[in-house]
């Protein structure tokens, strides 16, 4: 938001510098992000001088050029070649000497250089008005009054002023600061507290005492059908106006904040908007059918063409200003093309209203519009100033466009918007501030903020906060208000820091996440970060066991349909990233993401931390010495096991076919009875819908469950044993339905102390193997940490394992 330094000073009596003003505003919460000088016209006529044409002669080699001798107040006159038809001796003109820079109305700035024109030297330029930015005329040079002083600066002659423009980074909660009056009000509070201005000083609001109904000749029927979306609506008609350019002072005010002048009517409404923070809209009265103004919502898909010439399809929740036949304006956002003020307009209907902020914001986002009006309405304006602003604008329009007030003011305000009442404890303020602020200081700050003290009970106050302060509705908000005016910089910082050190019994979530991130990154994975908001259609169009459209946490006011709900899984954002990369020739991807998923079930909202891991394409980058291999189910299984092993929670790990219908095939991994992950190959039809045409393997780890297991699985370090391990192999003939996990379980139960590892190194079911049978090559590694194993003990262990396998599985040695 832009604020003019000189414009701001018209509302308070202060002579502080622009830099000091910017510092104070920043300290009070209206951060001045940047300030720069604003010139009334580009370039500010810098370097241009008033000259007198002493002599004019015809150029010897050009019929349309004149050789002029020009006095610019220097010891020597300048010779300037001029092509203007109206140049004459004795004229006082604007001269651009060599080295000065011109800023034409049309075209880029350029520097004046010494040049030769048809063989004669020219030491400058005699200027037309469009060449120096003063107008659009180019019929000839600009001729000044004879009172102009030769040698004087052109900027002094035209009385051009410069201004300082503040660019304020207005936070969404500071709706009260969306105007010059609002900023002046805050500045005055700070100056009073700093005692650099008298305590009785007030903000100088524009005087509207001269407002009166000149002729009650226009009868308008104004109706508000939706008082929720439009709690207050006011309007008045002005007849006999003459539409044209606004006066210079008004145009300069608007230019000082970067607002381009349009015409005197529109400029007057824009001026009041930036002065008071109240948006207004002027309709051509002759284009209002039936002299009826109706505030209502139209049917969905109704066509409406806005001022920018774009035809828009309305939503049935869009509030409209209508006449007897059609919509005239998208309420609080953008005017209509058919009802706007034009050069032929002679009578207007002037609107001032308070619209529901949520309704305006939803409509503005729906249509992708962000106007000065919607910016203010969607944050909340002052409902008590609606009629005041209307009168202010009406008087200003009469001043700059003529005309007369031709109707009574209609003000529809069925239910007054109440001020806020807040209970405030001074002890709470001092506790949070860390210092004791004087009682009178607090009271003075509250009064300067227009917060009324209704009741005092020792250090407990009951306050009435004006309705325009929509951000001050709680005790903590009042505390913030007092402290920002008191000055956060005035609160001393202690020279020592008190802290207590305590043992952290809970798992350090960030540390665990960093450990796993480092592990995956070291193995070639790239971390992604995606928005928690996603499309509701991802779940609505599919049926998933672990996801349901009824569980969506929907946004009340979504920015777009693509960001309508909170995600229930990390899979869709990951697939979006894969599709995006593959469309840019990145086929081989290894991605992971830590994020939250959200559910609304049985009137309860839950959120969980998850870790998503994605694999697609080739295992390694293409190399001459490597045979290309696609990622597989074993690749994603290895990644998950690596994570669990690194965290030390791989014991008691069990796997079973997954019931998660994201996967064409996959498994679930549990630690004990706690399910920690689902992984597998994603269904092809889902990949096709996402625009992905190669296999994707995905694992979703329930990170919260993993963290819960951490204290139960503390990693213990043991010294390396001095005694060697021993390996024995068995070649077993088994029924084809028997799995290796059954063999491993029986072996470990047979010898729990010395058996360290059981592994499968060969599977064979070919020639010489009976039907329904298969051969497993199984290795057994044994080790004693206290002594070397002898043959007798090894044979005893192996015999026990063989007998159990024969007994329970019917295994035979080959």
């Amino acid at each position: 938001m832009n604020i003019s330094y000189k414009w701001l000073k018209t509302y308070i009596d202060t002579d502080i510098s622009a830099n000091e003003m910017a510092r104070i505003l920043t300290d009070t919460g209206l951060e001045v992000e940047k300030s720069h000088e604003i010139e009334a016209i580009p370039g500010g006529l810098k370097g241009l001088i008033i000259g007198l044409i002493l002599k004019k002669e015809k150029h010897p080699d050009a019929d349309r050029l004149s050789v002029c001798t020009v006095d610019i107040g220097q010891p020597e006159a300048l010779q300037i070649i001029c092509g203007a038809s109206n140049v004459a001796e004795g004229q006082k003109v604007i001269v651009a000497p060599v080295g000065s820079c011109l800023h034409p109305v049309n075209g880029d700035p350029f520097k004046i250089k010494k040049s030769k024109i048809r063989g004669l030297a020219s030491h400058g330029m005699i200027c037309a008005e469009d060449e120096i930015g003063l107008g659009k005329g180019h019929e000839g040079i600009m001729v000044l009054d004879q009172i102009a002083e030769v040698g004087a600066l052109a900027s002094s002659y035209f009385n051009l002023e410069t201004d300082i423009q503040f660019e304020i980074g207005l936070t969404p909660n500071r709706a009260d600061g969306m105007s010059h009056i609002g900023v002046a009000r805050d500045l005055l509070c700070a100056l009073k507290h700093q005692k650099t201005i008298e305590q009785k000083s007030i903000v100088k609001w524009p005087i509207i005492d001269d407002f009166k109904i000149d002729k009650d000749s226009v009868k308008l029927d104004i109706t508000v059908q939706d008082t929720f979306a439009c709690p207050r609506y006011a309007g008045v008609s002005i007849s006999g106006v003459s539409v044209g350019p606004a006066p210079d002072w008004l145009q300069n005010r608007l230019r000082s904040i970067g607002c381009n002048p349009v015409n005197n009517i529109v400029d007057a409404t824009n001026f009041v908007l930036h002065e008071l923070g109240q948006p207004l809209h002027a309709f051509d009265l002759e284009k209002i059918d039936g002299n009826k103004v109706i505030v209502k919502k139209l049917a969905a898909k109704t066509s409406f063409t806005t001022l920018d010439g774009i035809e828009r399809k309305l939503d049935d929740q869009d509030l409209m200003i209508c006449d007897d036949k059609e919509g005239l304006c998208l309420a609080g956002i953008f005017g209509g093309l058919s009802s706007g003020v034009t050069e032929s307009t002679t009578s207007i209907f002037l609107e001032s209203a308070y619209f529901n902020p949520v309704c305006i914001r939803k409509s503005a986002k729906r249509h992708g519009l962000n106007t000065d009006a919607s910016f203010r309405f969607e944050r909340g304006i002052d409902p008590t100033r609606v009629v005041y602003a209307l009168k202010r604008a009406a008087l200003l329009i009469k001043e700059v466009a003529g005309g007369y007030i031709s109707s009574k003011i209609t003000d529809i305000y069925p239910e007054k918007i109440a001020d806020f009442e807040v209970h405030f404890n001074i002890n709470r303020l001092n506790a949070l501030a860390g210092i004791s602020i004087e009682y009178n200081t607090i009271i003075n700050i509250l009064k300067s903020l227009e917060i009324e003290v209704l009741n005092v009970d020792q250090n407990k106050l009951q306050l009435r906060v004006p309705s325009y302060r929509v951000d001050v509705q709680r005790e903590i908000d009042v505390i913030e208000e007092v402290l920002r005016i008191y000055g956060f910089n005035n609160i001393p910082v202690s020279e020592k820091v008190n802290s207590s050190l305590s043992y952290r019994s809970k798992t350090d979530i960030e540390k665990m996440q960093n450990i796993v991130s480092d592990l995956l990154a070291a193995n070639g994975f790239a971390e992604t970060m995606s928005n928690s908001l996603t499309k509701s259609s991802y779940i609505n169009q599919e049926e998933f066991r672990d996801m349901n459209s009824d569980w969506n946490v929907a946004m009340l006011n979504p920015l777009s349909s693509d960001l309508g709900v909170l995600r229930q899984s990390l899979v869709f954002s990951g697939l979006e990233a894969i599709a995006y990369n593959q469309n840019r020739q990145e086929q081989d991807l290894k991605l992971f993401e830590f994020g939250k998923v959200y559910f609304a079930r049985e009137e309860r909202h839950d959120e969980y931390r998850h870790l998503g891991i994605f694999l697609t394409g080739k295992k390694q980058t293409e190399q001459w010495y490597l045979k290309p291999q696609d990622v597989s189910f074993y690749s994603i299984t290895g990644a998950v096991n690596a994570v669990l092993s690194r965290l030390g929670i791989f014991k008691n790990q069990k796997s079973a076919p997954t019931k998660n219908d994201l996967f064409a095939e996959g498994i679930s991994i549990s630690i004990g009875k706690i399910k920690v992950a689902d992984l597998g190959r994603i269904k092809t039809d889902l990949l096709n819908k996402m625009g992905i045409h190669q296999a994707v393997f995905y694992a979703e780890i329930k990170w919260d469950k993993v963290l819960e297991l951490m204290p139960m699985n503390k990693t213990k370090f043991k010294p390396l044993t001095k005694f060697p391990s021993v390996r024995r192999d068995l070649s077993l003939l088994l029924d084809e339905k028997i799995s290796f996990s059954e063999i491993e379980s029986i072996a470990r139960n047979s010898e729990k102390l010395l058996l360290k590892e059981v592994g499968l190194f060969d599977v064979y079911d070919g020639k010489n193997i009976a039907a329904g049978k298969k051969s497993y090559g199984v290795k057994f590694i044994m080790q004693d940490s206290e002594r070397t194993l002898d043959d007798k003990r090894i044979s005893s262990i192996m015999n026990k394992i063989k007998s159990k396998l024969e007994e329970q599985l019917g295994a035979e040695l080959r």
Side-chain angles (χ1 to χ4, degrees):
M1 184 186 72
N2 296 334
I3 292 292
S4 160
Y5 170 66
K6 287 189 174 180
W7 190 352
L8 191 60
K9 287 176 64 177
T10 62
Y11 303 113
I12 53 175
D13 294 320
T14 181
D15 57 358
I16 61 173
S17 67
N19 287 338
E20 179 65 9
M21 186 177 289
R23 183 193 65 78
I24 294 173
L25 289 175
T26 299
D27 288 347
T28 58
L30 297 174
E31 182 182 2
V32 178
E33 297 177 336
K34 184 165 61 171
S35 63
H36 55 272
E37 187 176 77
I38 295 294
E39 297 165 329
I41 61 170
L45 305 183
K46 290 178 181 177
L48 305 189
I49 301 172
I50 297 176
L52 172 65
I53 300 178
L54 301 175
K55 185 165 59 174
K56 169 198 169 188
E57 296 176 338
K58 182 182 177 183
H59 194 291
D61 294 327
D63 293 338
R64 296 185 179 181
L65 296 180
S66 301
V67 181
C68 301
T69 302
V70 184
D71 177 15
I72 61 168
Q74 301 294 327
E76 294 184 8
L78 302 180
Q79 176 177 287
I80 299 176
I81 310 300
C82 181
S85 59
N86 66 329
V87 66
E89 291 182 1
Q91 290 176 336
K92 290 188 176 179
V93 293
I94 302 295
V95 177
V98 173
S100 59
C101 188
L102 296 186
H103 295 257
V105 171
N106 298 311
D108 297 326
F110 63 92
K111 195 173 184 179
I112 300 298
K113 300 178 181 178
K114 181 180 178 181
S115 61
K116 277 192 174 184
I117 302 177
R118 294 292 182 93
L120 295 181
S122 181
H123 299 275
M125 178 175 172
I126 302 174
C127 303
E129 65 177 29
D130 69 326
E131 293 167 336
I132 58 177
L134 283 174
K136 298 181 179 179
H138 194 70
E139 294 78 14
I141 61 171
M142 192 172 189
V143 181
L144 308 180
D145 292 336
Q146 287 298 314
I147 60 172
E149 181 183 350
V150 175
L153 294 175
S155 57
S156 300
Y157 175 80
F158 288 103
N159 195 28
L160 295 182
E161 293 185 354
T162 60
D163 197 356
I164 302 296
Q165 182 188 96
F166 299 135
E167 292 185 18
I168 294 179
L170 194 69
T171 52
N173 63 308
R174 290 303 307 277
D176 61 298
M178 296 187 296
S179 65
H180 283 75
I181 286 281
V183 175
R185 187 164 46 200
D186 237 30
L187 180 62
L188 186 65
C189 291
L191 293 176
K192 283 183 177 181
H193 175 67
Q194 296 173 11
K195 296 182 171 53
T196 55
I197 198 169
E198 292 184 9
Q199 292 298 312
K200 63 181 180 180
S201 298
I202 59 172
V203 173
K204 294 186 286 186
W205 288 77
I207 297 173
I208 59 170
D209 295 345
D210 292 338
F211 180 87
K212 63 178 181 178
I213 302 166
D214 299 308
K215 185 180 180 181
D216 189 9
S217 57
V218 175
K219 305 298 180 183
L220 280 169
D221 182 10
I222 301 177
T223 307
V224 178
Q225 293 186 3
D226 191 336
T227 55
F228 173 78
C230 180
R232 188 173 191 181
Y233 190 87
V236 70
S237 64
I238 306 172
S239 302
V241 298
S242 177
V243 179
D248 290 343
W249 72 265
L250 180 52
Q251 292 193 39
N252 289 338
R253 279 284 187 250
L254 295 177
R255 287 195 186 102
S256 70
I257 57 171
C259 184
N260 293 322
V262 179
N263 59 52
N264 47 9
I265 303 293
V266 175
D267 292 353
T269 59
N270 283 338
F271 178 87
V272 174
L273 178 146
H274 291 286
E275 179 184 51
L276 304 177
Q278 170 68 54
L280 303 111
H281 188 71
F283 300 86
D284 189 325
L285 187 59
E286 301 299 323
K287 297 175 182 177
I288 299 178
D289 190 79
N291 271 15
K292 289 185 177 180
V293 176
I294 308 168
V295 185
K296 63 180 182 178
K297 293 172 181 174
L298 298 179
K301 305 299 182 182
T302 301
S303 296
F304 177 68
T305 304
T306 45
L307 279 171
D308 54 4
I310 297 176
E311 183 177 318
R312 305 176 189 274
K313 297 296 183 182
L314 298 178
D315 186 88
D316 60 2
Q317 294 303 307
D318 292 333
L319 188 67
M320 297 291 294
I321 311 300
C322 308
D323 61 11
D324 207 21
K325 287 185 176 180
E326 60 183 0
L328 304 175
C329 174
L330 192 55
I333 302 172
F334 213 6
L337 186 63
S338 63
S339 62
V341 172
T342 64
E343 293 180 356
S344 60
T345 298
T346 58
S347 298
I348 65 170
F349 169 68
L350 187 62
E351 162 198 280
S352 180
Y354 176 88
F355 298 113
N356 183 289
V358 174
C359 295
I360 297 301
R361 187 172 188 272
K362 286 184 176 181
S363 289
K365 295 301 178 185
R366 249 192 308 268
H367 296 286
L369 292 170
N370 182 21
T371 62
D372 284 335
S374 68
F375 177 81
R376 287 159 176 80
F377 278 128
E378 66 188 31
R379 284 162 174 78
I381 63 167
D382 185 355
T384 65
R385 294 286 178 178
V386 168
V387 172
Y388 173 87
L390 184 67
K391 292 180 178 179
R392 166 64 169 157
L395 290 172
L396 187 57
I397 289 172
K398 284 180 63 177
E399 177 186 339
V400 301
Y404 58 93
I405 308 297
S406 55
S407 74
K408 295 178 181 178
I409 288 180
T410 300
D411 181 19
I412 300 174
Y413 195 18
E415 186 174 347
K416 184 179 177 182
I417 297 173
D419 293 335
F420 310 110
E421 289 197 7
V422 180
H423 294 280
F424 172 57
N425 191 325
I426 293 178
N427 293 335
R428 174 71 172 156
L429 164 67
N430 291 333
L432 287 174
I435 60 172
S436 180
I437 302 176
E438 290 185 4
Y439 177 85
N440 289 335
T441 300
I442 295 171
I443 297 299
N444 289 335
I445 290 175
L446 291 174
K447 287 181 179 178
S448 68
L449 289 167
E450 299 180 5
I451 297 175
E452 183 182 354
V453 179
L454 299 177
N455 189 30
V456 179
D457 181 10
Q458 295 181 345
N459 283 332
K460 297 178 181 179
L461 309 180
Q462 185 179 0
L463 307 176
R464 177 183 289 138
V465 180
S467 56
Y468 69 83
R469 289 308 309 269
V470 293
D471 60 320
V472 184
Q473 301 184 30
R474 304 168 301 167
E475 181 186 47
I476 193 64
D477 299 328
V478 178
I479 290 172
E480 181 184 359
E481 288 298 294
V482 172
L483 290 179
R484 70 180 183 84
I485 299 301
Y486 181 81
F488 289 104
N489 293 337
N490 294 326
I491 298 175
V493 178
S494 176
E495 295 181 355
K496 66 176 182 177
V497 176
N498 297 322
S499 178
S500 59
L501 299 177
S502 60
Y503 173 73
R504 183 167 187 162
S505 58
K506 293 184 179 180
T507 302
D508 189 331
I509 297 174
E510 290 186 4
K511 182 180 178 181
M512 294 301 103
Q513 186 168 318
N514 287 336
I515 287 173
V516 172
S517 297
D518 290 343
L519 169 70
L520 292 172
N523 282 276
F525 285 82
E527 184 172 8
T528 65
M529 297 178 68
S530 57
N531 201 325
S532 295
L533 295 170
T534 188
K535 300 178 183 178
S536 59
S537 60
Y538 283 147
I539 296 176
N540 293 342
Q541 294 173 5
E542 297 279 346
E543 291 186 6
F544 299 106
R545 184 187 302 270
D546 294 339
M547 292 180 282
N548 191 306
S549 59
D550 294 335
W551 300 341
N552 278 333
V553 180
M555 296 296 99
L556 293 175
N557 192 15
L559 294 175
S560 72
S561 59
D562 289 348
L563 302 170
V565 298
L566 288 169
R567 63 189 175 191
Q568 295 183 32
S569 171
L570 304 182
V571 66
F572 298 110
S573 55
L575 293 178
E576 286 176 351
I578 290 173
Y580 180 89
N581 280 273
Q582 291 186 349
N583 289 337
R584 287 154 182 81
Q585 309 306 314
E586 293 290 338
Q587 304 296 325
D588 307 327
L589 299 167
K590 301 168 75 174
L591 308 174
F592 75 95
E593 178 180 7
F594 283 97
K596 290 184 177 181
V597 296
Y598 306 85
F599 299 89
R601 290 180 286 208
E602 299 176 356
E603 300 182 356
R604 190 187 73 196
H605 289 75
D606 298 313
E607 63 178 66
Y608 306 101
R609 295 182 181 89
H610 279 198
L611 165 61
I613 302 176
F614 298 84
L615 285 170
T616 185
K618 303 295 182 187
K619 283 185 179 180
Q620 301 98 1
T621 55
E622 188 175 3
Q623 300 289 348
W624 65 269
Y625 55 85
L626 289 176
K627 183 180 178 180
Q629 286 185 311
D630 291 334
V631 295
S632 64
F633 176 79
Y634 299 103
S635 304
I636 193 68
T637 305
V640 173
N641 284 333
V643 170
L644 299 179
S645 298
R646 179 64 184 86
L647 298 176
I649 55 173
F650 54 88
K651 290 183 178 180
N652 301 320
Q653 181 176 317
K654 299 177 183 177
S655 60
T658 183
K659 295 180 180 179
N660 190 323
D661 37 19
L662 274 174
F663 302 107
E665 54 188 4
I667 62 172
S668 294
I669 294 179
S670 300
I671 305 296
K673 295 182 179 181
I674 300 175
K675 178 181 172 182
V676 295
D678 285 303
L679 59 133
R681 179 173 62 84
I682 294 178
K683 287 180 177 179
T684 304
D685 58 347
L686 176 58
L687 296 179
N688 290 337
K689 289 178 182 179
M690 301 295 292
I692 300 171
H693 305 296
Q694 66 184 36
V696 176
F697 293 89
Y698 171 62
E700 185 145 349
I701 299 175
K702 301 178 184 299
W703 190 244
D704 285 325
K705 298 296 184 183
V706 170
L707 294 174
E708 288 175 12
L709 291 167
M710 291 299 297
M712 300 164 54
N713 293 273
K714 294 181 180 179
T715 301
K716 295 181 180 179
F717 295 92
K718 294 182 179 179
L720 291 173
T721 181
K722 300 176 182 180
F723 304 99
S725 61
V726 177
R727 170 172 169 162
R728 292 289 185 269
D729 297 340
L730 293 179
S731 181
L732 301 172
L733 186 65
L734 302 152
D735 288 341
E736 63 181 359
K737 294 182 180 180
I738 294 174
S739 65
F740 168 72
S741 61
E742 293 177 83
I743 298 172
E744 182 183 17
S745 177
I746 292 171
R748 291 191 180 279
N749 288 330
S750 299
E751 178 53 56
K752 297 181 179 179
L753 180 62
L754 301 181
L755 185 62
K756 303 299 182 184
E757 183 180 344
V758 182
L760 180 65
F761 64 84
D762 184 49
V763 178
Y764 179 68
D765 58 359
K767 188 177 179 182
N768 299 325
I769 299 296
K773 297 288 186 176
K774 62 183 175 182
S775 174
Y776 271 179
V778 184
K779 67 177 181 180
F780 301 88
I781 296 177
M782 294 159 281
Q783 188 177 37
D784 192 333
S785 60
E786 297 180 352
R787 60 180 175 173
T788 301
L789 290 172
D790 55 30
D791 290 339
K792 182 178 179 182
R793 197 169 185 194
I794 295 169
S795 297
S796 173
I797 295 171
M798 293 304 298
N799 288 333
K800 187 192 301 184
I801 293 174
K802 281 189 289 183
S803 67
K804 290 289 184 183
L805 292 174
E806 291 169 354
E807 178 184 332
Q808 297 184 28
L809 301 179
E812 300 176 24
L813 288 179
R814 289 187 64 204

